[in-house]
Amino acid sequence: MASRKEGSGAAGSGFGASKGKGKAAATGDSAVVLKIIKHYREEQQGDEVVQGVLLGLVVDDRLEITNCFPFPQYTEDDADFDEVQYQMEMMRSLRHVNIDHLHVGWYQSTYYGSFVTRALLDSQFSYQHAIEESVVLIYDPIKTAQGSLSLKAYRLTPKLMEVCKEKDFSPEALKKANIAYENMFEEVPIVIKNSYLINVMLWELEKKSAVADRHELLSLASSNHLGKSLQLLMDRVDEMSQDIVKYNTYLRNVSKQQQQKHQYQQRRQQENIQRQSRGEAPLPEEDINKLFKPPQPPARMESLLIAGQINTYCQNIKEFNAQNLGKLFMAQALQDYNN
């Protein structure tokens, strides 16, 4: 069981995710989603993320998430707090009241889509290694505030799982496994179902809502979100640029060392020719790899994660632009209708 420092999280009831690439299926209501949203609103501070544990069961080819509970907020000074013990006690209590208590993954909020990190990768690997069907749910409160629930489930691909098991993130290992940022994570489809009573309540609320309130969804005031996404994108591009400089430096060092090895071998060969002409024994054989230790190649996993995060930010910007364009057409259509 992973601890919170490793990225452990929570999940809830009311939806299911398929284990494979097929369609997801679920039963129950949307109480889990509401718990996740409630957890974020109560404890989120600044750009810090909130996390929790997912509980549920596997039914046929689906992973049904039926309950969840959040991690409590605590500081480094709380040395007596045992997170693993806390999770075990919570699951034991749920089992006593006949509620699904099997650990099936974790959830985490995200700040402007910045969830593609090494911490998330290590934590999800820990979960999938222990529980094959486990997923991580990513809740985006900023996108949700724009009027559409943003909740996605992810798993590590089998290729990346194999690389993580070997713990070899060198360029050669990633190239051999054919790992790129596009095939690091696989998105699992989600189906969220409401109970009939909730559907009736939502219908009643929609009837009572004022038309003016609905028009607020057509507001184009998303410049702050767009600006923040662009700033985060530029930061990641700078990090990628620095990583490229490090890799280019490594390549130059390798090339320089190859030249030194070649020159050394030529000098020894010439000296052996001269010794042979004087009737002397040739120089003893030496392990050239001990004399010229190859430079350590930089790990490439961070570069892949940065590339994946850049791709996420680009998608966010694309979605913001598409939403604003759609709002603009709808606002114009309403204006023409009113006239």
Side-chain angles (χ1 to χ4, degrees), residues 16-24 115 128 134-138 143 149-158 181-191 311-312 315 319:
S18 63
K19 294 163 59 180
K21 295 183 179 180
K23 295 183 179 180
F115 63 90
Q128 277 186 234
S134 62
V135 298
V136 53
L137 293 179
I138 302 297
K143 285 187 179 180
L149 175 64
S150 178
L151 188 69
K152 296 183 178 182
Y154 292 97
R155 287 170 47 85
L156 303 186
T157 59
Y181 73 87
E182 297 95 338
N183 57 8
M184 294 176 64
F185 298 91
E186 58 182 357
E187 184 176 352
V188 181
I190 296 177
V191 172
N311 182 61
T312 300
Q315 290 179 353
E319 290 176 3

Side-chain angles (χ1 to χ4, degrees), residues 1 9-13 52-59 62-69 87-88 90-96 98-106 127 130-131 133-135:
M1 183 177 299
S13 63
V53 175
L54 295 175
L55 305 175
L57 67 162
V58 178
V59 179
R62 304 187 311 274
L63 176 66
E64 294 197 358
I65 304 172
T66 57
N67 203 359
C68 70
F69 62 85
Q87 295 184 46
M88 295 299 295
M90 285 292 297
M91 289 187 288
R92 189 180 299 111
S93 299
L94 292 171
R95 181 179 60 186
H96 288 165
N98 199 24
I99 295 178
D100 292 330
H101 62 279
L102 298 180
H103 209 158
V104 294
W106 59 294
Y127 271 95
I131 310 168
E133 298 86 1
S134 62
V135 298

Side-chain angles (χ1 to χ4, degrees), residues 232-279:
L232 292 171
L233 175 60
M234 290 188 292
D235 293 340
R236 293 299 177 271
V237 170
D238 290 340
E239 292 179 7
M240 177 62 75
S241 177
Q242 296 174 6
D243 199 69
I244 292 174
V245 170
K246 292 179 182 179
Y247 188 68
N248 288 335
T249 301
Y250 161 74
L251 294 178
R252 286 195 299 268
N253 291 336
V254 170
S255 177
K256 183 178 179 180
Q257 188 182 75
Q258 291 294 334
Q259 293 178 358
Q260 292 175 349
K261 289 170 64 175
H262 182 67
Q263 293 173 358
Y264 177 79
Q265 289 174 337
Q266 284 184 333
R267 288 196 303 267
R268 284 182 61 86
Q269 186 177 6
Q270 292 175 358
E271 187 172 353
N272 282 332
I273 293 175
Q274 294 175 0
R275 291 172 67 89
Q276 186 178 5
S277 65
R278 295 194 299 265

Side-chain angles (χ1 to χ4, degrees), residues 28-57:
D29 55 33
S30 56
V32 173
V33 179
L34 296 178
K35 287 182 180 180
I36 295 175
I37 297 174
K38 181 174 180 289
H39 180 203
Y40 172 81
R41 292 187 175 181
E42 289 180 349
E43 299 190 11
Q44 188 270 343
Q45 298 178 357
D47 57 353
E48 295 182 2
V49 300
V50 299
Q51 300 171 335
V53 175
L54 295 175
L55 305 175
L57 67 162

